[in-house]
Amino acid sequence: MPAVPASPLPTDDPRAAFLDQLRLALNEGRWVKLVLARHVGAEAELERTTVKPLTVKGQPRLGFVLRYRTRDITRHHAVEEGLAEIAAALPEQFRNAHLQTTDETVQLEFGKKGKARLHRSKAQQPQPAASAEHDRAKQRWLELDRPFLAALGVTDRHGALVPAMSRKWKQINKFIEVFAHAFTQAGLATEAPVRVADFGSGKGYLTFAIHDYLRHGLGREASVTGVELRQDMVDLCNQAAAELDHPGLTFEHGDVRTVVPARIDVMIALHACDVATDYAIHTGIRSQAAIIMCSPCCHKELRPQMHSPEPLGPMLQFGLHMGQQAEMLTDGLRALYLEACGYETKVFEFVSLEHTSKNKMILAVKRSAPVDVASRLARIQALKAFYGVNEHCLERLLQADGLLPSN
């Protein structure tokens, strides 16, 4: 359907009429969003401001998102305070304002000489009103218009998802969803920065995402370090972090054995090969991390030690089945070691197999209450004895540091 052309709305005071339309749309629940554009104010980096109605802790608010060239800033105002801020910005800071309602668009324009014009056009089809529930909006985790996504090639310069990156986008969102629930459960103190170490950070998709979620999504101070063996990736990510104005985000050359933080709150190691996952979990436990997130791969250590216990022998005579059993045993023992060290642990499918074959996640959150260490160790010894396993890398590391008793 062709767009309905905008027509001037006759009025002696276009600015006052536009502000009246804002209040009317808000009172009638028709306000979808307001965009203030053509910035002429003192802040050179500010490009536009978007305003939507919200309800925060049962109180009506106006949510402002200030879009700068490399970052967004979110602010919430009481309704009257927000309306006053909008009025003060026209035309001193912005020369164009678009109000989208459920049934029409109202536009205020200021010419070079300051003359105002008001236009109105009917919506091509009814639009849903902006959701008033602030908490519900948070469940979107990340928005596609976040600047780091464009810098890393997930979106194009217009903020649209690059088709080839759709699987990566789903992985990023699922990762933030998992982290968000764990972060709420961990209950980290609000007065201190959140310290995060991401081992094997690669191109930094998840490292940038968790830093952006903590600072932009939750308003928390964060010190996030990505650790990567490939120097070119380290240089690329550090350059992007500097250009995008991500304070507290850095990348270091090394791995989980060479970069050893004294204390961290969140330890991440995705797709760490074979015993590298054990070194990562050990680092998290030793550093007293409240959250440990691992996605293991390449399970090699236990399989040469394993025998086929009865009555599983006929099933485990097939190499594929023995490999799958070795993987289950390796990660099952890792989960039990974490539980013995005071963590509540889950093992689950991180993302669907259609997106990646490395889809298992071990998630551990530090318990506040003491645990029955003896019962966990008894389960570990029973499993090892059943399969004939003598050694597990994580067990050796924890015992060497006195974090678990020696046999």
Side-chain angles (χ1 to χ4, degrees), residues 16 19 68 89 124 135 139 161 179 187 202 208 212 246 313 321 331 356:
L19 296 176
Y68 291 83
Q124 297 181 22
D135 292 340
Q139 302 309 307
L161 178 64
F179 171 74
F208 273 91
D212 187 85
H246 272 248
H321 288 170
D331 293 333
T356 176

Side-chain angles (χ1 to χ4, degrees), residues 164-348:
M165 299 299 291
S166 60
R167 290 185 178 182
K168 179 60 67 177
W169 172 237
K170 289 181 180 179
Q171 291 175 35
I172 293 170
N173 269 283
K174 184 62 178 180
F175 171 78
I176 294 300
E177 179 185 353
V178 171
F179 171 74
H181 290 302
F183 189 77
T184 300
Q185 181 183 350
L188 290 169
T190 58
E191 62 271 13
V194 182
R195 296 161 296 188
V196 181
D198 180 12
F199 293 99
S201 54
K203 196 176 178 181
Y205 296 111
L206 301 185
T207 325
F208 273 91
I210 200 168
H211 183 268
D212 187 85
Y213 175 73
L214 285 168
R215 289 186 61 88
H216 176 74
L218 300 183
R220 295 289 299 266
E221 290 295 317
S223 176
V224 180
T225 302
V227 181
E228 171 58 41
L229 278 170
R230 292 170 292 178
Q231 186 64 53
D232 58 335
M233 291 291 98
V234 173
D235 296 340
L236 175 69
C237 291
N238 274 326
Q239 180 179 352
E243 293 175 350
L244 291 169
D245 189 21
H246 272 248
L249 175 60
T250 58
F251 292 82
E252 294 184 21
H253 178 260
D255 62 14
V256 71
R257 304 191 197 195
T258 60
V259 179
V260 185
R263 180 72 186 267
I264 51 179
D265 299 307
V266 181
M267 196 291 299
I268 302 167
L270 303 190
H271 306 156
C273 186
D274 197 25
V275 296
T277 293
D278 298 306
Y279 279 90
I281 294 174
H282 170 247
T283 295
I285 295 173
R286 184 181 58 192
S287 302
Q288 303 179 56
I291 300 171
I292 293 174
M293 303 175 72
C294 289
S295 180
C297 75
C298 305
H299 303 71
K300 300 176 182 178
E301 183 194 25
L302 296 193
R303 185 167 177 176
Q305 304 179 50
M306 293 172 60
H307 61 67
S308 301
E310 293 297 335
L312 302 181
M315 179 179 69
L316 297 183
Q317 66 177 309
F318 304 106
L320 174 64
H321 288 170
M322 181 63 89
Q324 292 172 336
Q325 201 79 351
E327 178 181 331
M328 291 174 60
L329 179 60
T330 301
D331 293 333
L333 288 172
R334 285 166 173 164
L336 287 171
Y337 290 128
L338 280 161
E339 289 186 356
C341 291
Y343 288 84
E344 180 179 337
T345 307
K346 300 176 182 177
V347 182
F348 57 93

